Amino acid sequence: MSLSVDKTSTGREYKVKDMAQADFGRLEIDLAEVEMPGLLSCRTEYGPSQPLKGARITGSLHMTIQTAVLMETLTALGAEVRWCSCNIFSTQDHAAAAMARDSAAVFAWKGETLQEYWWCTERSLDWGPDGGPDLIVDDGGDVTLLIHEGFKAEEVFEKSGTLPDPSSSTNSEFQIVLTIIRDGLKTDPKRYHRMKERLVGVSEETTTGVKRLYQMQANGTLLFPAINVNDSVTKSKFDNLYGCRHSLPDGLMRATDVMIAGKVAVVCGYGDVGKGCAFALKQGGARVIVTEIDPICALQALMEGFQVLTLNDIVSEADIFVTTTGNKDIIMVSDMKKMKNNAIVSNIGHFDNEIDITGLETYPGVKRITIKPQTDRWVFPETNSGIIVLAEGRLMNLGCATGHPSFVMSCSFTNQVIAQLELWKEKSSGKYEKKVYVLPKHLDEKVAALHLGKLGAKLTKLTKDQADYISVPIEGPYKPAHYRY
Amino acid sequence: MSLSVDKTSTGREYKVKDMAQADFGRLEIDLAEVEMPGLLSCRTEYGPSQPLKGARITGSLHMTIQTAVLMETLTALGAEVRWCSCNIFSTQDHAAAAMARDSAAVFAWKGETLQEYWWCTERSLDWGPDGGPDLIVDDGGDVTLLIHEGFKAEEVFEKSGTLPDPSSSTNSEFQIVLTIIRDGLKTDPKRYHRMKERLVGVSEETTTGVKRLYQMQANGTLLFPAINVNDSVTKSKFDNLYGCRHSLPDGLMRATDVMIAGKVAVVCGYGDVGKGCAFALKQGGARVIVTEIDPICALQALMEGFQVLTLNDIVSEADIFVTTTGNKDIIMVSDMKKMKNNAIVSNIGHFDNEIDITGLETYPGVKRITIKPQTDRWVFPETNSGIIVLAEGRLMNLGCATGHPSFVMSCSFTNQVIAQLELWKEKSSGKYEKKVYVLPKHLDEKVAALHLGKLGAKLTKLTKDQADYISVPIEGPYKPAHYRY
Amino acid sequence: MSLSVDKTSTGREYKVKDMAQADFGRLEIDLAEVEMPGLLSCRTEYGPSQPLKGARITGSLHMTIQTAVLMETLTALGAEVRWCSCNIFSTQDHAAAAMARDSAAVFAWKGETLQEYWWCTERSLDWGPDGGPDLIVDDGGDVTLLIHEGFKAEEVFEKSGTLPDPSSSTNSEFQIVLTIIRDGLKTDPKRYHRMKERLVGVSEETTTGVKRLYQMQANGTLLFPAINVNDSVTKSKFDNLYGCRHSLPDGLMRATDVMIAGKVAVVCGYGDVGKGCAFALKQGGARVIVTEIDPICALQALMEGFQVLTLNDIVSEADIFVTTTGNKDIIMVSDMKKMKNNAIVSNIGHFDNEIDITGLETYPGVKRITIKPQTDRWVFPETNSGIIVLAEGRLMNLGCATGHPSFVMSCSFTNQVIAQLELWKEKSSGKYEKKVYVLPKHLDEKVAALHLGKLGAKLTKLTKDQADYISVPIEGPYKPAHYRY
Amino acid sequence: MSLSVDKTSTGREYKVKDMAQADFGRLEIDLAEVEMPGLLSCRTEYGPSQPLKGARITGSLHMTIQTAVLMETLTALGAEVRWCSCNIFSTQDHAAAAMARDSAAVFAWKGETLQEYWWCTERSLDWGPDGGPDLIVDDGGDVTLLIHEGFKAEEVFEKSGTLPDPSSSTNSEFQIVLTIIRDGLKTDPKRYHRMKERLVGVSEETTTGVKRLYQMQANGTLLFPAINVNDSVTKSKFDNLYGCRHSLPDGLMRATDVMIAGKVAVVCGYGDVGKGCAFALKQGGARVIVTEIDPICALQALMEGFQVLTLNDIVSEADIFVTTTGNKDIIMVSDMKKMKNNAIVSNIGHFDNEIDITGLETYPGVKRITIKPQTDRWVFPETNSGIIVLAEGRLMNLGCATGHPSFVMSCSFTNQVIAQLELWKEKSSGKYEKKVYVLPKHLDEKVAALHLGKLGAKLTKLTKDQADYISVPIEGPYKPAHYRY
């Protein structure tokens, strides 16, 4: 796509695949709202008082139907919103179109190049000459990264006049980031400093982004407060676990139509995401083998009847591989060469470096046959045997299907809304330093409570006597901070 | 679509949606072949001797990728093939295109009208002036029905000169059938008699079609031998059960993206199909309620932890409804009116009369909002509350997803190939009368055996001593006829 | 125990372990009755008309609490009952005591020797000088065997004066049978002929016994009609499957307290019993491997995620072994030698010859350490490594626990009552020849229906229109004979 | 039993049910050792250096076979041990006998009265005139309670000469505690002060005891350091969850033989224990309903397909009730009156006050029928309908079965050993204040690692590069403190 910004009749900027899909997007958003009681409750509870009035929010989070409901919850609470996706394949074009038409400045389409991806990211930060956003909703931390790298480059440039050198990195994606910063520096050497001044804080969605934030906190380089939404119980123990349990088989089915029953499946990593995947595959009738580095998680897998082996033990025997580790170099091209013909290789961790796509692309004589978008068969010349790689190694549930379903995303996103409200409310109070925070347990419990009615559940109420006996307030919170659920 | 027949460069007739999708179809057929070891083994074992040489086969069976592998197995064994789909929504257009281009006369596209459907069915029977097919592969029995009704009408016409009167039926689909027969009768009053003369037999795929065949056998009206493929163990206990366990959630996800976990789901009918559906929903985290008429199946449901209630007990509380009964009038418009907003109503039984679509369409003031093809929201005027109906009440796994996966269809279709081989081999021997037959158990066991290697299984061999002890041959068959598996 | 018959104050014969346990037995029988609605319904429905009045019934069936409820149902319907157990370890002594005191002539205790076992069996047939029983309830067919062998020996003796020679058999148990017959022949050379004259028929409980009956039918040696209760759906698909799913882990836990989660378990045979066992172990968190000879059953196992291997592939790696085949020589001493230290070896098939106990007992230098009754550790001299054998290779759920729970036995035993009623009602009608019969489907459905209310289930009723559409009576039966459930 | 202390030939004190069971206990201890690799590894690793040399350890923890292996691990490391059980029904008498004979001063038997229970507890603290134990292993905190209450009473007595007044409490058990302290005070008014002086610390096993400790820490009344073993991941997420998943059905089966399949079961509380129970019942084929106060746990239950209701909604419909809350007054006699005949009422939480046994015992006209020890049927006079109460409302898995299996207890108890080692090693360093501590994560991971080999698992090793990428040491610990597993 040509990288120029379009404008709606009201002058709002956007760049999406096809504005004609907006009606379809709206119909699916209408359906999703019924499944997202937490977000709808926020609109009802907070909408009248417009608590986000005046807040500019930049979001970098998969531009799906569910995210659209989040975005319109933020605008219903008074915010102005600019948005990009945090993954080149995860945008649902009809959702993007509906948002662009009706509610926000959106820069996202399914199947961006990396170049386009970072262009969109930069667009989402461009709130005009008077600085950037007040608040960030981030997923994986790419917007946060761009600001921190930009800020750092400006510091260096100010001190030494040196521009960042893209060729200093061997990572092709990071070269693009440095190029963008370098090109920006030439025209506006204080852009990221102004942004940093204005920024109230970020709420981060996912394990990977949170890990980056804690590293920056540890290094003392974090530029603004951050709320770790991922580690709300109602996020990490729901979206990561139950979301993946739903969307992993969905991605497999849409991409390959392969029968799961009877197959041997390898799940690399048995964290919340890995647990969800392993259970989904087991329930589909596969025999599941787990790889793990952590003896505790490994023992959990064993207690559920999963065999725990190394990848090498099983690589030539399994039919389906899923990486969920959040680490890199999990399945290398040397592993892929040993696999059975038409073994399926996929990743559901945040970044695509779990699978050695570069090694595969550069393998001498390898042949890529695109079955359909996000489903490629790669054939090795020696054996004429092929493997099927989903979503080019990126999040397969978003690349090949539609990601997590609305209900569980309502839990995650209600945490996001609460985090944004909290950051904005405390913007001048000094409550939040340049550190990473989790939401207090009573808010976590509130998010859960907002989702019970839809499922017909009835909670039991403590008597005063019982509450005293276990030393908790009648209305909660009910558990100590270290409770693991 | 305009109902005129197209021709390939070699002169083979066809009518499909888009010939440009043939390459895509071929790629998916290539993938499917790896998952269909039974069919591939048939090609290897029987291909060289061309046992179906000279046989004209008409098939009426969902025109999917898997069916394409079946069709090319039949042609690899020497047959000539004409094909239509047995459901207006079940065709995969890329599969149809690949077959039309490469292997067979195909008349099928996704989203036929009923008029188009029966036109396609009739085309599939048109082998030119010298009669119809030698063999039929039927699914649901529509081709068999057309021939029997045509034959009957010709008898009446010959005796009394009376043409069939479409208005004599209140069923709008049957009116179309009668119209086709009536119009044909005028130009060729012996067409179906010639067909019947030539016909060696039919192999029927599914419960519903088999039921019709047994009724015709009981009434003495069956015109040719029939092999009941459905009741091969490797069909009904695999495709119906494990196939639906896979494809029901696939259809739900593709059509609605709804989260299954936490929902209340009602499965009407707990036969093999219902069992597959109930387990799929349970494993997805739904609370499943079963309705049944048969106390034995009801007790089976209870033993698995499913609640057994009547539809009326739960109609206003459930989120997802699936009919699997093979019976009619299971969910009426009066039931649908009582449902929760956005309750999902779907059918995975062969015919669409399980759900009262006519009642819904004719409900005064009802509003239909098509979210996307095969996903409609129907809004009742009194409540402004809507339900979501999948695939217009037709087989939702084929209408909204891609049907059963290749591996399990390989079991079913290997039975089909064996049945066709058997009918053709015995065409002159008189072995098969105008009755319904099931395949012998050793062939059923053979079908299973052909699918074990792909899954890495190793069978145990009986010793002579052990075989004698339990009075079976070492090589099987291993079970008495009444064994239920 | 000394083998002399005791008598109650009313003169009824018995031989049990400890009459003082009768009160305890009665308490548990009272509990069991609440769980056995099918049997209680029979008492209500048939009790008043006393349809078994005058019938002498000999039963050879595990003398448990559940069997006691069956026995008292038979007496409530008018029968007179003599009983023995069909397994040396399966008697529950408190149940035997309660029956002996209150309702029947019982000869059974837990831990009989084989000599005692056959003494008890013979006692159960001794109805005094005027012949044997009118009806037999058999489980595994040992009473039926004794009569047939006795009859055969009498024929030979009459013709040639030859007595049976116990040493002609290498099977030590069969030597005992022949000895009993030989000793009886000397004093009464027509005993089994008189029995055969009187006998109306047998109803057989289990797969193994049924197999014997069909062999006798095929050989033309069956002496009286037999009803195959095992193949009622409400027996084989309930007791065998759900009963074992319950009682296998119960036996494992009571015998060894071993944690099932995390273990590797091998289930030999994947019939109904094997399916129940495999699911129980999987649900307990074990990784389950199945061995099979039948490719269809093997493919079923694979579809549920079980690996299918041969015993030899896994023998040195697994922790728990269960045989369920109904065949012999499944786990030999040469296999046991290869097992891990403290591997658990058990059988839940009817006969103990699935496990090579003789080979184990006679292994040079092997050491047996009895942990507690029915739990032995056998240590091999070469390795000083041991295996744990349950119930000496006999039915571990009955030897180490209490067998199947009441509710599922109520299904099985209601079939028994119906079979006994049917045989007795038709005793003079000639309806039943010397063949094996299964109960008609409407009775099978009735058994199921009697068990729904207890579980709170509500059946759906067909309309006339629906019943006609699928060609079944409104009141059932609902399925064709070949339906597999 | 008469409350006098016995002595072994070597002079060690004990009081057990039957010393003749020591051999049987030893056989089962031998089996258990093979299942407890963590404890055996501790013996191998630490045994030679005798790190607990000189330490007097008092334990109050279910005197089972598994605990015996713990005790002998402590003695193998050099400690001297006195032991009582922490529940009146949980002792396995053969285990107690083997320990008393071979390894420790044991005061425990199955079926203690409360009077006897506290006598045993006091005995376990009596190390002679020079004070009490150095270390405590506590489960539920009763030993810790006794010392704290004793200390408090001594303070009061010293200040005011006032003796504790048992009648000041309405709780009959606490009256016993006060009586013991009062009687002791008269003869030795500084006993608990001397104990406190000597005490290095306590390691506490269970949720309930930990809660008490945190309350004392909050109140500033904690007299010595405490290590919270319960909240080691390898304890609470293993023993509580997988242990109960195993032992709940075991207890139900041994106590009642009831069929779980088809039943409606209510699990009160969905913490780790509740989760284990709910899954066990679901897998057994029950329909499970959960009651919860915490919306997060409730939402977790819903995601697994469990219905969430209040007890009152379902009390008259369910068949099986299990309390797991750690709270009191969960099932009151007014609830029990509404239950179905023979509904089963049981508790698997630490204390027996979850079920209103007092209310039941004092209900006018209620009749108690003891089926067998720990299985009572209580009949209400109005309805003549009864309920079945297990283990008098105490831990049913220990009262009616044998508690958690060895393997999972090996995880818990390895944490105990490590905690005891840590407390003893740091006895003089001042590292531990009068606070509650959890074990560091690397020890938690070590416990897990010690249990992998037994289950045949192979861990994956991080490369240096991967470890750096996710910022963890190659050898772990791998997760942040807040990680929930």
Side-chain angles (χ1 to χ4, degrees), chain A residues 322-459:
Chain A
V322 188
T323 57
T324 77
T325 67
N327 207 331
K328 65 177 185 176
D329 300 341
I330 304 306
I331 299 182
M332 304 307 288
V333 70
S334 54
D335 300 312
M336 293 185 252
K337 272 193 65 182
K338 297 176 193 156
M339 291 177 182
K340 286 165 69 173
N341 185 31
N342 284 8
I344 297 169
V345 177
S346 64
N347 166 48
I348 198 167
H350 187 80
F351 284 120
D352 62 339
N353 56 356
E354 306 214 8
I355 298 173
D356 179 18
I357 296 295
T358 306
L360 188 60
E361 286 170 342
T362 59
Y363 190 87
V366 79
K367 200 170 136 202
R368 173 179 179 170
I369 302 161
T370 297
I371 311 293
K372 59 188 174 188
Q374 279 81 63
T375 307
D376 295 295
R377 187 163 183 262
W378 294 81
V379 182
F380 291 102
E382 296 87 350
T383 53
N384 213 22
S385 167
I387 59 166
I388 297 171
V389 177
L390 305 192
E392 304 183 12
R394 290 167 192 270
L395 281 163
M396 60 80 82
N397 59 338
L398 280 154
C400 300
T402 62
H404 296 337
S406 301
F407 187 82
V408 82
M409 291 315 298
S410 179
C411 294
S412 301
F413 287 167
T414 305
N415 278 291
Q416 281 285 8
V417 171
I418 288 173
Q420 292 282 312
L421 283 169
E422 178 71 6
L423 285 169
W424 190 240
K425 192 179 111 202
E426 304 293 342
K427 60 179 176 289
S428 320
S429 72
K431 177 174 176 185
Y432 293 107
E433 302 173 51
K434 290 170 187 171
K435 288 186 177 164
V436 189
Y437 297 86
V438 292
L439 291 173
K441 191 165 289 289
H442 77 273
L443 292 179
D444 217 350
E445 293 183 355
K446 176 177 177 171
V447 171
L450 292 175
H451 290 84
L452 297 178
K454 164 82 181 164
L455 303 182
K458 294 201 223 167
L459 277 187

Side-chain angles (χ1 to χ4, degrees), chain C residues 4 18 84-85 108 139 246 259 324 347 388 452 467:
Chain C
S4 61
D18 177 11
C84 61
S85 196
D139 183 315
H246 178 105
M259 186 162 201
T324 78
N347 166 48
I388 298 171
L452 296 179

Side-chain angles (χ1 to χ4, degrees), chain D residues 462-476:
Chain D
L462 285 177
T463 63
K464 176 75 173 61
D465 200 32
Q466 288 176 317
D468 291 348
Y469 180 71
I470 59 166
S471 306
V472 301
I474 288 178
E475 299 301 330

